[in-house]
Amino acid sequence: EPGICQSTAEELTEYISSFKINNPKVFIVVSLHWGVEFQLFPTSTQRKQAMDIIAAGTDMIIGHHPHVVQTISFIDNKPVFYSIGNFIFDQKHPNSSNGILVEFKCSIDSSFETIVYPYKIESCIPGPMILKEKNEYKAELMRLCDDIVLKDRTVGWTLLQR
């Protein structure tokens, strides 16, 4: 059941672990408000918390707060989006005008597909990137993120583990 949690990372990890024991087939996506504003890379604390939260039974983490897209990684074959950037918040920081949306398709057999949609914010309005921007942003993300591959789709990219 969707909900809001005001717990510490340690409390959240305990809760997820307990929940997963009683609900092993339930797919858990955790959204975290964390990270340092305008930093493209997660802190060591974020990385440690992500490892703990995934180990507890989480299937995907989607973070937000830094106003920029932070790196994407996999922990135990589970995708971790440390920050997906802004959506409607128009700021003048150079990296804050790009963002990503994440679509997650989960099948009954526990297989899943993660699709990433890049966008650009102009005058507080998110919209699709033109092809040149999309290709440049894809190259930048793959350069910053060691263990991902972004496979082109008609719209967006399929996220794969390298």
Side-chain angles (χ1 to χ4, degrees):
E1 176 177 324
I4 297 174
C5 175
Q6 296 288 327
S7 301
T8 66
E10 293 78 18
E11 291 167 334
L12 179 60
T13 299
E14 290 174 19
Y15 176 75
I16 292 166
S17 182
S18 174
F19 181 83
K20 196 68 169 194
I21 288 168
N22 296 319
N23 303 278
K25 294 187 181 210
V26 172
F27 200 86
I28 298 174
V29 177
V30 173
S31 176
L32 295 169
H33 186 93
W34 64 351
V36 178
E37 290 186 357
F38 307 115
Q39 298 300 308
L40 297 178
F41 296 94
T43 65
S44 58
T45 299
Q46 283 175 272
R47 289 191 302 271
K48 168 75 168 90
Q49 289 172 342
M51 287 188 282
D52 293 345
I53 291 167
I54 293 289
T58 297
D59 297 290
M60 175 185 229
I61 296 173
I62 299 177
H64 52 91
H65 172 70
H67 302 288
V68 296
V69 175
Q70 288 188 329
T71 56
I72 305 163
S73 67
F74 283 86
I75 298 172
D76 294 335
N77 300 316
K78 312 291 174 124
V80 177
F81 294 84
Y82 287 98
S83 174
I84 57 174
N86 286 330
F87 189 63
I88 301 178
F89 198 31
D90 201 14
Q91 295 179 309
K92 300 302 178 207
H93 190 277
N95 291 317
S96 67
S97 63
N98 293 332
I100 56 175
L101 297 175
V102 179
E103 179 181 6
F104 199 68
K105 296 181 180 184
C106 184
S107 301
I108 206 156
D109 66 357
S110 296
S111 64
F112 60 88
E113 178 181 32
T114 306
I115 304 166
V116 177
Y117 300 96
Y119 60 86
K120 186 170 195 75
I121 302 169
E122 292 184 19
S123 301
C124 294
I125 301 171
M129 293 180 174
I130 62 171
L131 185 59
K132 181 178 186 237
E133 291 171 329
K134 180 181 166 188
N135 290 338
E136 288 171 355
Y137 195 55
K138 174 185 172 185
E140 179 183 347
L141 282 175
M142 288 182 53
R143 181 181 55 78
L144 293 173
C145 307
D146 295 337
D147 65 344
I148 70 162
V149 173
L150 297 168
K151 183 179 174 189
D152 286 325
R153 300 172 57 91
T154 304
V155 178
W157 309 302
T158 300
L159 176 68
L160 302 170
Q161 188 169 8
R162 187 175 304 191

